[in-house]
Amino acid sequence: MISRPAHSSPPLLAAIEAGGTKYVCAVATDPSQPLLETRFPTGDPQETVARVAAFFHEASALHGPIHSLGIGTFGPARLDPAAPDYGTILTTPKEGWSHFPLVTELKKALGRDLPVAFETDVNAAALGEARYGAARGVRRVAYLTIGTGIGGGLLDDGRLLHGRMHPEIGHLIVPDLDAAYGKGTQVCPFHTSCLEGRASGPAIEKRWGKAGHELPGDHPAWELEAAYLALGCLNLTAAWSPDLLLLGGGVSQKEGLIERIRNELQRLAGGYWDLPPMAEYVKLPSLDQQAGIVGALVLAREALGE
Ligand code: ZN
């Protein structure tokens, strides 16, 4: 806990949404209203860290000293502060990033030690939605993002759940529903039939030869997509029993898809669970593309013990 005189201005928070394709950096005193923001393509680690540091030095010159840093990174990453390699990116196909000690290198580039909170990008987005978005005030939240991959985060009474590492909800195993459509697409190199392999954006594109946004709303692609995603929602319901399932990411935005998922989940649930009405149980996030950076700013605030 950092103590400040009551009359002082609120602390300046710094945050990074460290994606595999782009980095977003921001500073704020109120996480929901960034004062300054920048985004650039993710390069090699050294170059990327140098750009981050340059932005924060510039932001600091304008808005004063930075008090803490929140990071939501692409994974896998070592989130456990007790681990010797805490703050490191683990084995990743992303060139140059495997075992890169991101937190240590950022502190070095910023020229000082400061309180840091380190999470996955998906967990950061889940936290952003929980504090300022569609999951505000909800006790138990399962957040899924369906886009280039499928990821997920779980919040219990406002706290992110980590498990031994972090949830990999995209790799829940699902039955093969492709066969009924004369298809057999899956894009995960590790599993025969997982959610990400069957229902991510690249799976849709490979299966139907067109990206999701090019497929009309009445295309059979969406019936199949809804069936896979409803299975993911059903498995999360069985394993975790949330109050709310939030479906983020580009694919979820497809017009009519969420209604199809709700109908299919209702059918699959078979009356076994006492679930809220589907329109309240399965929802779209409300912060859109800002969820990750807002969540990373929330992490920075929490790193101060606030
Ligand atoms: Zn998989």
Side-chain angles (χ1 to χ4, degrees), residues 168 170-173 186-197:
E168 293 268 14
H171 300 281
L172 284 172
I173 302 302
Q186 77 83 24
V187 299
C188 175
F190 299 99
H191 307 118
T192 312
S193 189
C194 70
L195 201 55
E196 179 169 300

Side-chain angles (χ1 to χ4, degrees), residues 39-222:
R39 51 190 65 213
F40 52 85
T42 309
D44 69 52
Q46 286 75 19
E47 172 205 340
T48 305
V49 165
R51 289 187 80 164
V52 170
F55 170 76
F56 286 140
H57 286 309
E58 183 193 326
S60 213
L62 287 170
H63 298 286
I66 286 166
H67 286 70
S68 62
L69 174 63
I71 305 164
T73 182
F74 68 87
R78 186 70 71 207
L79 307 182
D80 179 2
D85 57 348
Y86 166 70
T88 295
I89 307 295
L90 301 176
T91 306
T92 168
K94 181 108 183 118
E95 183 80 28
W97 284 88
S98 283
H99 310 292
F100 182 70
L102 182 60
V103 169
T104 307
E105 291 300 319
L106 282 167
K107 283 181 178 177
K108 241 189 253 174
L110 292 172
R112 65 196 177 92
D113 200 5
L114 77 173
V116 172
F118 185 63
E119 279 291 351
T120 65
D121 47 1
V122 181
N123 273 351
L127 192 61
E129 288 291 339
R131 295 291 189 280
Y132 292 101
R136 201 171 175 167
V138 180
R139 287 188 64 191
R140 290 145 299 226
V141 182
Y143 175 86
L144 261 103
T145 175
I146 303 114
T148 314
I150 296 183
L154 305 171
L155 282 131
D156 188 18
D157 275 337
R159 253 177 16 96
L160 286 164
L161 296 184
H162 292 109
R164 193 174 66 81
M165 204 170 80
H166 48 72
E168 293 268 14
I169 292 166
H171 300 281
L172 284 172
I173 302 302
V174 290
D176 175 5
L177 305 179
D178 265 57
Y181 293 79
K183 304 283 181 183
T185 304
Q186 77 83 24
V187 299
C188 175
F190 299 99
H191 307 118
T192 312
S193 189
C194 70
L195 201 55
E196 179 169 300
R198 297 288 190 184
S200 59
I204 297 172
E205 184 160 358
K206 188 175 175 196
R207 181 180 294 117
W208 304 104
K210 273 185 183 173
H213 64 86
E214 293 174 293
L215 293 165
D218 59 356
H219 192 281
W222 300 114

Side-chain angles (χ1 to χ4, degrees), residues 229-247:
L229 294 176
L231 279 165
C233 291
L234 184 81
N235 287 336
L236 282 171
T237 300
W240 165 234
S241 190
D243 297 304
L244 172 65
L245 285 149
L246 274 190
L247 305 186

